[in-house]
């Protein structure tokens, strides 16, 4: 195992093979290094004299001649459009709020990670060749390690995220595991390795300490365990690589080989096929130009056909088929409940917008049904949800709120169309589809039992809200408790854990986040640096949650916590009362102040379904009052702890128990640790 150890002097080891020296520093990369663009074209740096350019949108550096348009301000058409769109929106928003215009928003860099690295390496080489004095500093990336240590927090384990790479095979990777990693504490010109121990884990990242430093933390550093440079103990011996102790402690022992044998005997290390598994887990079944059905981001009640444009770490950038320039896109994970195979809408009776787009691209193919998340089979022949039943549901247009809701239509295969009481559009265009087993819908009384604020129907004046009174006033019934999901997986999340989470109101952004509350399988996700009103309720198995380091591993851009300076705003101008308006199809957006997260979706004109070619079923009838957007947040400060357990009728009846099977995870509960509601069928 320790045959790779080399105790020779630094002079002798400096003559190692050229294979090691190839991995040294980026300035050695030749100036002809290619820049790989998203559209598949490859540009090279021909003569070392061509001018360089920096994209004003994403910051990518490259040859000026390869950039887009005559001005060469952007690296691609996409960046040009994004810059224009964000600038206009930020300017308009600033004017409406009576504030000075903002700087352009920082948004997702769409170029692959390797393309950026190649471009930066080429830039360094060109700077050396041209002997320019002006230095360009690359954009700083968020330092998870420093953030974890400075806040004395922990990251959620990779095993909590079954959909993430290595989520199901993270195994026994824990503190104390030994690895072979590059030795940075050396004067040698070639790459050498040394043993390191995992001191602390946070998702994919680990705080490492070189063997022999004991309690000395001076050379500790954070590293992503899934990078190719991390190996199990014994790799150097089998690969013929030198193990050289760090120069700081190289004279601490005269016989390092004996020390290693003694310390590593019985110690844990990575599985021998760890790197192979990492590469396998980074392969995804979805490919570019596959066709899918996805929710219409402008009309939640229907789906549209979209094409896979980009796959990053299992996340898909989908472009709606009718989009001529590719700008009308939508981000989601491949296991999201929002995407389905072609023909899904017709098979269950969901509303669908048939595309008028007839021209198909070469290589376009329907994504196989087996690529999509499979839902549980349910029996709808007996007791099942009925139209008009009342429930509590997470509002997809305001994910910080659990609202009073109604089952508006029962579809096939266990799917339901849900509407938020008191704030639905007159044409039902904001009804949304949840499966009957979805963890985002709950029985009447769930919020009260678990001390969660329930958002009552908009305009409802009898506060505090009482379900019994509301059911009697509306002449409706509550959906039976037994129909709802009772399973609670042993998810492993704990309050205060850090992770990377999608901002589902701006789904192309992945942000630094914290688990602030756990209610059975329901997690309250807080975006670090932002107010609590931006929090989101998500399921513990949501594919929109990722371990610390996921963005770095997959090449996705991570949005760091908002700094205090970006959140301190000048005093806003007095607001004027506005008359209530009819719902005109404007998708609800967050109230984003100056300097905050960018918009990704534009407003849309007033529209109706009369122009759409509908498949089964026919257009939904208009029910309930109109819903102006954005819907104001309703804050109830009463907890109703003294209220008795809920009864659906005044007559005595049998008790229907809804008790979750408890795992070892840290569950919040209503005192007893069980979910219990008295309800009549």
């Amino acid at each position: 195992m320790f045959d790779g150890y080399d105790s020779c002097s630094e002079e002798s080891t400096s003559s190692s093979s050229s294979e090691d020296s190839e991995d040294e520093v980026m300035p050695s990369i030749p100036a002809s290094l290619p820049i790989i663009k998203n559209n598949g074209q490859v540009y090279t740096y021909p003569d070392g004299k061509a001018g360089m350019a920096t994209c004003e949108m994403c910051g990518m550096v490259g040859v000026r001649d390869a950039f887009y348009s005559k001005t060469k301000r952007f690296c691609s058409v996409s960046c040009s459009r994004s810059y224009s769109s964000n600038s206009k929106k930020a300017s308009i928003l600033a004017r409406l709020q009576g504030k000075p215009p903002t700087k352009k928003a920082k948004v997702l860099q769409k170029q692959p990670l390797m393309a950026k690295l190649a471009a930066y390496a080429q830039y360094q080489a060109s700077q050396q060749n041209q002997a320019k004095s002006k230095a360009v500093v690359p954009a700083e990336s968020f330092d998870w390690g420093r953030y974890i240590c400075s806040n004395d927090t922990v990251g959620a384990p990779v095993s909590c995220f079954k959909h993430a790479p290595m989520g199901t095979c993270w195994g026994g990777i824990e503190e104390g595991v030994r690895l072979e990693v590059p030795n940075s504490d050396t004067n040698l010109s070639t790459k050498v390795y040394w043993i390191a121990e995992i001191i602390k884990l946070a998702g994919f990242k680990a705080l490492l300490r070189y063997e022999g430093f004991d309690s000395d933390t001076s050379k500790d550093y954070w590293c992503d365990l899934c990078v190719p440079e991390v190996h199990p103990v014994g790799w150097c011996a089998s690969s013929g690589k030198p193990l050289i102790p760090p120069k700081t402690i190289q004279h601490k022992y005269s016989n390092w080989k004996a020390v290693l044998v003694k310390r590593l005997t019985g110690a844990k290390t990575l599985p021998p096929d760890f790197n192979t598994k990492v590469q396998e887990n980074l392969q995804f079944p979805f490919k570019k130009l596959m066709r899918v059905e996805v929710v219409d981001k402008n009309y939640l009640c229907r789906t549209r056909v979209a094409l896979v444009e980009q796959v990053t770490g299992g996340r898909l950038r989908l472009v709606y088929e009718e989009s001529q320039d590719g700008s009308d896109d939508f981000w989601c994970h491949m296991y999201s409940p929002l995407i389905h195979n072609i023909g899904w809408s017709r098979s269950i009776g969901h509303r669908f917008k048939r595309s008028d787009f007839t021209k198909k691209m070469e290589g376009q193919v329907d994504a196989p049904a087996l690529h999509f998340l499979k839902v549980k089979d349910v029996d709808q022949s007996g007791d099942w949800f009925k139209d008009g039943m009342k429930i509590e549901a997470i509002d997809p247009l305001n994910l910080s709120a659990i609202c009073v809701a109604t089952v508006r239509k029962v579809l096939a295969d266990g799917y339901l169309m849900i509407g938020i009481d008191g704030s639905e559009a007159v044409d039902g265009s904001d009804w949304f589809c949840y499966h009957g087993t979805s963890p985002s819908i709950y029985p009447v009384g769930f919020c009260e039992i678990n001390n969660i604020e329930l958002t009552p129907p908009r305009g409802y004046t009898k506060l505090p809200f009482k379900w019994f009174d509301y059911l009697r006033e509306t002449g409706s019934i509550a959906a039976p408790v037994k129909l709802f999901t009772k399973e609670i997986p042993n998810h492993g999340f704990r309050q205060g854990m850090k992770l990377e989470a999608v901002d589902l109101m701006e789904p192309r952004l992945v942000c630094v986040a914290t688990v602030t509350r756990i209610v059975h399988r329901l997690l309250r996700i807080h975006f670090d640096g932002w107010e609590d009103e931006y929090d989101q309720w998500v399921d513990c198995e949501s594919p929109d949650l990722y371990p610390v380091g996921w963005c770095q591993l997959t090449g996705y851009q991570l949005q760091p916590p908002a700094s205090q300076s970006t959140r301190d705003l000048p005093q806003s101008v007095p607001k004027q009362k506005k008359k209530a308006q009819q719902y005109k199809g404007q998708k609800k957006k967050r109230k984003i102040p100056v300097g905050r997260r960018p918009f990704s979706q534009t407003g849309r004109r007033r529209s109706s379904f009369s122009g759409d070619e509908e498949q089964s079923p026919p257009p939904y009838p208009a029910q309930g009052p109109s819903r102006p957007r954005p819907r104001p947040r309703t804050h109830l400060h009463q907890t109703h702890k003294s209220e008795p357990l809920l009864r659906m009728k005044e007559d005595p009846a049998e008790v229907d128990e809804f008790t979750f099977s408890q795992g070892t995870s840290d569950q919040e509960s209503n005192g007893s640790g069980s979910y219990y509601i008295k309800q009549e069928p």
Side-chain angles (χ1 to χ4, degrees):
M1 176 182 294
F2 308 106
D3 292 342
Y5 172 71
D6 188 351
S7 58
C8 300
S9 64
E10 295 185 2
E11 288 78 5
S12 63
T13 52
S14 63
S15 60
S16 299
S17 64
S18 59
E19 179 184 355
D20 294 330
S21 62
E22 290 176 358
D23 297 326
E24 276 299 293
V25 292
M26 282 193 291
S28 62
I29 299 176
S32 60
L33 185 69
I35 300 179
I36 305 174
K37 303 289 285 185
N38 275 344
N39 58 10
Q41 293 177 307
V42 178
Y43 301 104
T44 57
Y45 189 44
D47 54 9
K49 298 181 181 179
M52 304 298 290
T54 301
C55 180
E56 294 184 16
M57 187 61 198
C58 70
M60 180 176 178
V61 179
V63 180
R64 179 177 297 276
D65 292 340
F67 270 45
Y68 171 71
S69 78
K70 294 181 179 179
T71 61
K72 308 300 181 185
R73 295 173 59 195
F74 308 101
C75 65
S76 65
V77 179
S78 176
C79 278
S80 175
R81 293 197 182 101
S82 296
Y83 180 93
S84 176
S85 175
N86 280 280
S87 297
K88 290 178 181 177
K89 291 171 187 173
S91 177
I92 293 172
L93 181 62
R95 287 198 299 269
L96 291 176
Q97 295 178 338
K99 301 166 187 173
T102 62
K103 296 181 180 180
K104 64 178 183 292
K106 178 182 179 183
V107 299
L108 178 68
Q109 298 178 13
K110 298 183 179 179
Q111 282 71 25
L113 178 62
M114 294 309 297
K116 298 171 193 161
L117 293 177
Y120 178 65
Q122 182 181 21
Y123 176 75
Q124 283 190 322
S126 66
Q127 292 293 85
Q128 286 186 346
N129 293 336
Q130 299 177 37
K132 292 183 179 180
S133 59
K134 184 178 179 180
V136 176
V137 180
E140 293 183 359
S141 59
F142 177 70
D143 188 345
W144 257 120
R146 182 182 301 175
Y147 189 70
I148 290 286
C149 291
S150 61
N151 292 279
D152 193 23
T153 54
V154 296
V158 174
S159 56
C160 292
F161 309 87
K162 304 302 182 186
H163 59 280
M166 303 299 292
T168 58
C169 51
W170 197 242
I173 300 178
E174 57 190 14
E175 295 178 5
V177 168
R178 303 306 210 281
L179 319 162
E180 290 183 355
V181 296
N183 179 5
S184 60
D185 184 22
T186 179
N187 291 328
L188 301 176
S189 59
T190 57
K191 179 178 290 186
V192 296
Y193 296 82
W194 190 241
I195 308 294
E197 178 184 357
I198 297 178
I199 302 300
K200 186 173 184 178
L201 268 177
F204 290 116
K205 291 190 168 292
L207 181 63
L208 302 182
R209 182 176 301 166
Y210 290 121
E211 192 67 44
F213 276 83
D214 300 328
S215 59
D216 184 0
T217 63
S218 61
K219 297 297 180 179
D220 290 2
Y221 70 99
W222 284 88
C223 175
D224 193 321
L225 294 181
C226 293
V227 298
E229 294 181 330
V230 174
H231 305 280
V233 172
W235 177 83
C236 284
S238 61
S239 303
K241 303 294 182 181
L243 273 176
I244 305 295
K247 64 178 182 180
T248 305
I249 58 170
Q250 63 181 350
H251 301 299
K252 187 174 183 179
Y253 300 101
S254 58
N255 189 346
W256 273 106
K257 188 169 185 178
V259 173
L260 292 181
V261 171
K262 181 178 179 180
R263 293 193 175 188
L264 299 182
T265 300
K268 291 184 177 180
T269 188
L270 296 177
D273 60 344
F274 182 78
N275 289 334
T276 302
K277 285 186 177 180
V278 170
Q279 296 305 316
E280 292 175 352
N281 276 256
L282 290 175
Q283 304 299 317
F284 306 101
F286 282 90
K287 306 300 179 185
K288 187 174 181 179
L289 296 183
M290 281 187 172
R291 299 173 76 241
V292 301
E293 287 185 12
V294 63
V295 66
D296 187 336
K297 65 183 181 182
N298 295 327
Y299 294 89
L300 299 183
C301 69
R302 70 185 183 188
T303 57
R304 297 167 62 185
V305 174
L307 298 176
V308 176
E309 175 63 25
Q310 183 179 342
V311 183
T312 305
R315 301 204 77 223
L316 310 178
R317 177 176 174 257
L318 304 173
V319 176
Y320 291 111
E321 195 172 49
E322 300 91 338
S323 177
Q324 299 294 332
D325 56 3
S327 61
D328 190 8
D329 61 357
F330 182 78
W331 280 92
C332 66
H333 194 271
M334 63 182 184
Y335 293 146
S336 170
L338 301 177
I339 61 171
H340 308 276
N341 58 288
I342 298 296
W344 173 83
S345 297
R346 178 188 294 273
S347 67
I348 71 162
H350 191 280
R351 203 168 193 180
F352 174 76
K353 181 186 179 184
R354 183 175 298 166
S355 173
D356 295 330
F357 188 77
T358 57
K359 183 180 179 181
K360 292 188 177 182
M361 301 175 61
E362 184 179 355
Q364 188 173 308
V365 63
D366 294 350
L370 55 85
H371 287 2
F372 299 87
L373 183 67
K374 181 175 175 57
V375 296
K376 295 180 180 178
D377 294 329
V378 296
D379 181 12
Q380 296 184 229
S381 59
D383 291 335
W384 188 242
F385 292 94
K386 300 291 190 298
D387 293 0
M389 282 184 172
K390 298 296 182 182
I391 61 173
E392 297 177 2
I394 296 177
D395 184 356
L397 297 179
N398 182 9
L399 293 157
S400 66
I402 300 180
C403 306
V404 174
T406 303
V407 177
R408 291 301 182 189
K409 190 173 183 63
V410 178
L411 308 179
D413 294 343
Y415 287 96
L416 312 170
M417 296 304 297
I418 306 296
I420 300 299
D421 281 22
S423 52
E424 297 174 63
V426 294
D427 54 5
S429 60
D430 58 354
W431 294 359
F432 49 93
C433 185
Y434 278 146
H435 194 264
T437 61
S438 169
S440 296
I441 60 174
Y442 314 97
V444 163
F446 174 85
C447 287
E448 181 179 4
I449 292 297
N450 292 282
N451 194 22
I452 299 175
E453 179 182 308
L454 175 67
T455 302
R458 179 175 175 271
Y460 191 76
T461 57
K462 294 184 179 180
L463 302 178
F465 178 82
K466 303 293 183 184
W467 262 115
F468 177 80
D469 294 338
Y470 184 69
L471 292 173
R472 183 174 55 188
E473 293 168 4
T474 57
S476 53
I477 62 173
V481 175
K482 62 183 179 181
L483 297 180
F484 295 85
T485 299
K486 304 178 180 65
E487 178 185 359
I488 302 178
N490 184 17
H491 47 69
F493 286 103
R494 299 289 185 272
Q495 187 170 320
M497 281 183 170
K498 298 292 182 181
L499 70 163
E500 298 175 2
V502 175
D503 179 358
L504 293 172
M505 300 303 291
E506 188 70 24
R508 65 175 174 174
L509 300 181
V510 178
C511 311
V512 174
T514 306
V515 178
T516 56
R517 192 178 175 192
I518 303 173
V519 183
H520 304 300
R521 64 180 298 149
L522 191 62
L523 308 180
R524 181 83 171 182
I525 302 299
H526 173 77
F527 296 106
D528 290 16
W530 304 93
E531 292 83 357
D532 293 345
E533 63 179 297
Y534 293 91
D535 290 2
Q536 295 178 169
W537 286 109
V538 298
D539 183 61
C540 64
E541 294 182 342
S542 168
D544 296 305
L545 304 178
Y546 307 103
V548 167
W550 178 87
C551 282
Q552 182 180 355
L553 175 64
T554 60
Y556 209 95
Q557 179 176 324
L558 177 66
Q559 301 296 315
S563 62
Q564 185 67 31
S565 59
T566 62
R567 297 188 290 112
D568 291 340
L569 304 173
Q571 192 71 21
S572 59
V573 295
K575 296 181 179 179
Q576 297 180 351
K577 293 184 179 180
K578 296 181 179 181
K579 297 181 180 180
Q581 299 177 354
Q582 293 289 90
Y583 171 65
K584 296 185 177 181
Q586 176 66 39
K587 189 182 190 312
K588 173 182 172 183
K589 298 187 181 73
R590 295 180 172 187
K591 182 181 179 182
I592 304 182
V594 176
R596 304 193 72 149
R597 303 178 190 172
F599 291 100
S600 70
Q601 298 175 8
T602 59
R604 66 177 190 273
R605 57 182 171 78
R606 181 179 178 90
S607 179
S608 67
F609 292 101
S610 59
D612 299 337
E613 294 185 30
E614 299 286 323
Q615 294 188 1
S616 176
Y620 300 132
Q623 297 188 22
S626 62
R627 170 149 68 162
R629 295 300 169 87
R631 188 170 69 253
R633 299 177 184 272
T634 304
H635 297 281
L636 295 181
H637 301 286
Q638 298 84 355
T639 58
H640 318 309
K641 290 184 178 179
S642 61
E643 294 299 323
L645 293 179
L646 188 65
R647 298 301 297 257
M648 296 297 103
K649 295 182 180 179
E650 296 180 353
D651 299 332
E654 297 179 359
V655 175
D656 185 4
E657 295 186 3
F658 186 33
T659 305
F660 284 108
S661 56
Q662 295 291 334
T664 58
S665 57
D666 182 18
Q667 308 294 343
E668 287 192 6
S669 63
N670 187 25
S672 62
S674 63
Y675 183 114
Y676 182 83
I677 295 180
K678 291 182 179 179
Q679 178 182 351
E680 291 188 1

